[in-house]
Amino acid sequence: MKSKYSHALMLLAAIAAFLPVLAVDFVLDSYVRVRERAVLQQSADAVAARVQATAYEAIASLRRILADSPSLCTPSFVANVHRQLEQSIYLKQVLVENADGVQYCDALGKDVKYSALSRPLTVPNHTETLEVVQYADLRVPALKVTQSFGTARKVSAFVPVLAAEAESLVGGLKPTSMVRLTLADGAEIITVGDARAYDERGRTEFVRAESFVGELPIHVTAAVPFAMVRADYADLDASFTVVAALMCGAFLVLALQYVRKSDLPAFDLERAIAAGELKPYYQPVINLRTGALAGCEVLCRWEKKSGEVVSPGAFIEYAEVTGLALPMTLSLMQQMKVDLERLCADMPELKISINLFEGHFRDGSVVDDVQTIFANSAIQFRQLVFEVTERKPIERMQQAQSVIAGLHALGCRIAMDDAGTGHSNLAYLQTLGVDIIKIDRVFVEMIKPDTTAVPVLDGLISMARELGNDVVAEGVETEAQALYLRGRGVVQAQGYLFAPPLKAAPFKDLARALNGSGEVDPALVAQVAAA
Ligand code: C2E
Ligand code: CA
Ligand code: CA
């Protein structure tokens, strides 16, 4: 339970650790938008200020002329107009006309050529009106600022919308930028730069800034495609990613440390195997007829430096998933050889059972490993049994068969572990080449003190016998169970009634004590088990 929880925690931590890398784009996008909008805003404000300067100069010039002139088109009026033309850098022309456009006089004494590009708009808080016009041969549109004189006359001043070259508007900006002046009613005055994409595509793809020209009904928009400005931050992108990757690394280390501290026993397994902390324990298998020791099953225990002994339930699945099961089994076999070589030489009928994992069938190297480890040892191949659990279905049947054939060829035998708990039937297992059936504890548990028959168990036993398999009963805890099994012809059994899995030394003591003696002496077993 704890280990499942820790795995989930580790997974979460690992996912969380990668968030900085995922966030890089988002953060950088937002950063670029904010920065570039500020740059554009400055440009838009600057353009607005320039337009404002010319327009207000036209208004001011016109007001001065009218303040100094009691009547229109008189020599003193024309003189006033000329003075303003000289003083102003923007003012191009002053014109007196009536509401129908009939011209009365102007500064230069000729017909004034202009055409309206917009309706006249009022300027809030001003008596003047404003109109965009094409004036003479000016390359940019002009503003026509008009003041009424009496009821029948209008006096207008003409200034270019922009005093400088229009192209200078986008001078400081990216080549793909555009700047547009519009009137409050939406009519376009002038656009500079590349506005095609801006008009065609959605405006969300652009970084945009807007500005107003004082109180005038004129409005400045500046825009640049986001992709263009974003591309300029490629360098930053790289460094952001590096920083984020470093953060990920740091997070990951912290997360792993946290999980390690959370005392997940499996976590250290690799180091533990290398350090030889995984020890083989030996659970005796007893001959129920003679009481002699028939052999043992190798079961692993994690002996921590702290003295704590961890049962395989806490790490066996982890070992399987991570592939550590293979080096673990290898280490157990090597230690077992050292532990039991003498004993096996002295008792050639002793059988030693080793548990295999599903991974051993995928990998296949176990046959070579067994050969290498035991070839020159006093332990004969015919003394080795390899257990294959029935709990998990074997996925790669062919590979399993070839591994089993390899072990058989050496002279080893195969036991079906936990028989009766899986999905496969015994006849089918026979095709796998199984020699021994280990009947699972759950069936043995069904034998109570007064039980006379356990149909499932009895069925299993007779089926195994019909198939010609030896039978080992697991988890025998009571004398009643041992007697019942013996009554059904089961010869071998293992379980707490005889002994739990033991360390090498007490196991060997027990083996030698049982060797040759006809009966199991429970007092000795208890004594050895307690050691
Ligand atoms: P298993 O192969 O079925 O091993 C028998 C388990 O039953 C052992 O648990 C053993 O200690 C326990 N047992 C023995 N007698 C009795 C009894 O009388 N009553 C009860 N209640 N239990 C008894 P253990 O050692 O905790 O191992 C659990 C499982 O872990 C094993 O089940 C086996 O599937 C796996 N395992 C242990 N060591 C290894 C190994 O080296 N390799 C592989 N592949 N699996 C292993
Ligand atoms: Ca087993
Ligand atoms: Ca078993």
Side-chain angles (χ1 to χ4, degrees):
M1 224 42 225
K2 180 185 190 178
S3 112
K4 287 244 168 67
Y5 171 71
S6 299
H7 283 144
L9 205 71
M10 199 155 75
L11 193 69
L12 269 181
I15 292 169
F18 283 98
L19 284 181
V21 163
L22 299 180
V24 162
D25 263 356
F26 178 76
V27 171
L28 209 55
D29 279 6
S30 310
Y31 171 73
V32 169
R33 266 181 210 285
V34 169
R35 242 196 87 131
E36 290 298 319
R37 188 171 301 130
V39 170
L40 273 183
Q41 189 65 54
Q42 277 186 348
S43 306
D45 289 347
V47 171
R50 282 160 62 183
V51 175
Q52 187 173 357
T54 55
Y56 277 87
E57 189 162 307
I59 291 171
S61 301
L62 198 57
R63 285 184 181 182
R64 275 195 291 271
I65 291 167
L66 294 177
D68 294 347
S69 313
S71 52
L72 302 177
C73 296
T74 59
S76 74
F77 170 80
V78 174
N80 286 336
V81 167
H82 281 173
R83 198 175 323 121
Q84 289 306 316
L85 278 177
E86 276 158 28
Q87 281 174 8
S88 165
I89 38 171
Y90 304 129
L91 194 60
K92 294 281 181 225
Q93 176 63 287
V94 175
L95 172 67
V96 178
E97 56 190 346
N98 73 5
D100 298 325
V102 177
Q103 300 186 357
Y104 292 95
C105 67
D106 71 282
L108 309 170
K110 54 182 182 189
D111 186 30
V112 179
K113 287 198 173 58
Y114 75 93
S115 55
L117 297 177
S118 80
R119 302 184 290 114
L121 295 172
T122 54
V123 182
N125 303 319
H126 287 63
T127 49
E128 290 85 358
T129 58
L130 191 76
E131 196 177 344
V132 179
V133 297
Q134 178 59 52
Y135 172 75
D137 49 6
L138 262 191
R139 285 176 52 199
V140 294
L143 294 177
K144 182 189 174 203
V145 177
T146 305
Q147 180 77 271
S148 297
F149 193 93
T151 49
R153 298 286 181 270
K154 288 166 174 289
V155 186
S156 301
F158 292 79
V159 288
V161 169
L162 296 160
E165 283 293 300
E167 280 65 35
S168 72
L169 286 188
V170 287
L173 296 175
K174 303 259 155 24
T176 46
S177 304
M178 75 110 204
V179 174
R180 172 174 289 165
L181 294 180
T182 44
L183 283 174
D185 63 3
E188 178 180 330
I189 302 171
I190 185 172
T191 300
V192 187
D194 186 357
R196 212 166 14 107
Y198 180 74
D199 290 333
E200 281 169 8
R201 272 186 266 138
R203 303 193 164 181
T204 48
E205 288 175 36
F206 284 75
V207 181
R208 208 154 65 103
E210 310 205 23
S211 189
F212 287 88
V213 179
E215 288 178 306
L216 305 179
I218 297 176
H219 176 210
V220 181
T221 305
V224 64
F226 176 71
M228 292 305 296
V229 288
R230 182 67 176 76
D232 288 351
Y233 289 79
D235 281 357
L236 209 56
D237 216 342
S239 29
F240 258 58
T241 306
V242 168
V243 169
L246 289 176
M247 279 167 73
C248 286
F251 270 14
L252 207 56
V253 167
L254 285 177
L256 293 189
Q257 261 176 3
Y258 176 75
V259 173
R260 211 179 271 248
K261 282 219 188 80
S262 75
D263 201 27
L264 173 63
F267 203 73
D268 245 7
L269 190 61
E270 186 166 14
R271 185 201 54 77
I273 294 169
E277 288 180 20
L278 273 119
K279 291 277 189 310
Y281 276 48
Y282 305 97
Q283 183 170 37
V285 176
I286 300 296
N287 182 316
L288 290 175
R289 289 217 189 104
T290 63
L293 182 75
C296 66
E297 177 175 0
V298 179
L299 292 162
C300 68
R301 294 289 180 270
W302 184 346
E303 288 185 354
K304 294 201 156 185
K305 282 204 212 72
S306 61
E308 186 192 353
V309 178
V310 182
S311 283
F315 57 84
I316 212 89
E317 270 197 41
Y318 178 84
E320 176 124 47
V321 174
T322 54
L324 288 171
L326 304 190
M328 186 188 101
T329 307
L330 205 59
S331 162
L332 291 176
M333 289 196 295
Q334 282 159 341
Q335 295 181 69
M336 180 271 272
K337 181 181 104 170
V338 176
D339 286 344
L340 302 187
E341 195 159 14
R342 281 275 310 278
L343 193 71
C344 284
D346 294 347
M347 303 179 184
E349 290 313 309
L350 222 53
K351 301 289 186 297
I352 299 156
S353 221
I354 295 151
N355 290 284
L356 291 184
F357 289 96
E358 217 251 312
H360 284 113
F361 298 129
R362 240 173 297 137
D363 178 82
S365 62
V366 66
V367 181
D368 287 343
D369 291 341
V370 170
Q371 159 115 48
T372 313
I373 295 171
F374 297 103
N376 298 311
S377 84
I379 300 177
Q380 304 166 55
F381 290 119
R382 53 170 282 278
Q383 290 183 282
L384 298 177
V385 176
F386 290 90
E387 298 190 7
V388 182
T389 185
E390 210 218 81
R391 279 187 208 283
K392 292 182 187 166
I394 293 172
E395 276 164 22
R396 302 172 191 235
M397 210 54 188
Q398 289 214 313
Q399 267 149 300
Q401 267 166 335
S402 92
V403 168
I404 286 170
L407 292 169
H408 271 154
L410 289 175
C412 308
R413 291 192 303 157
I414 304 298
M416 178 51 56
D417 200 2
D418 313 316
T421 61
H423 307 287
S424 33
N425 66 55
L426 291 182
Y428 169 68
L429 296 175
Q430 192 67 8
T431 64
L432 204 58
V434 167
D435 309 289
I436 300 162
I437 300 284
K438 294 190 79 170
I439 293 178
D440 193 74
R441 201 176 77 217
V442 293
F443 304 107
V444 175
E445 266 172 6
M446 293 172 181
I447 309 167
K448 306 294 179 210
D450 299 324
T451 306
T452 51
V454 182
V456 209
L457 175 65
D458 298 348
L460 266 174
I461 295 168
S462 54
M463 202 184 296
R465 195 173 305 119
E466 273 164 33
L467 292 167
N469 292 138
D470 283 353
V471 177
V472 178
E474 290 190 306
V476 179
E477 294 182 353
T478 66
E479 218 160 316
Q481 291 166 345
L483 290 173
Y484 181 100
L485 289 162
R486 191 169 68 177
R488 289 289 187 281
V490 175
V491 179
Q492 298 182 57
Q494 77 186 75
Y496 294 162
L497 173 66
F498 313 109
L502 299 169
K503 279 175 181 265
F507 170 72
K508 285 187 277 190
D509 288 347
L510 179 67
R512 296 205 183 273
L514 290 174
N515 190 26
S517 83
E519 282 300 314
V520 186
D521 175 358
L524 175 69
V525 173
Q527 189 192 333
V528 174

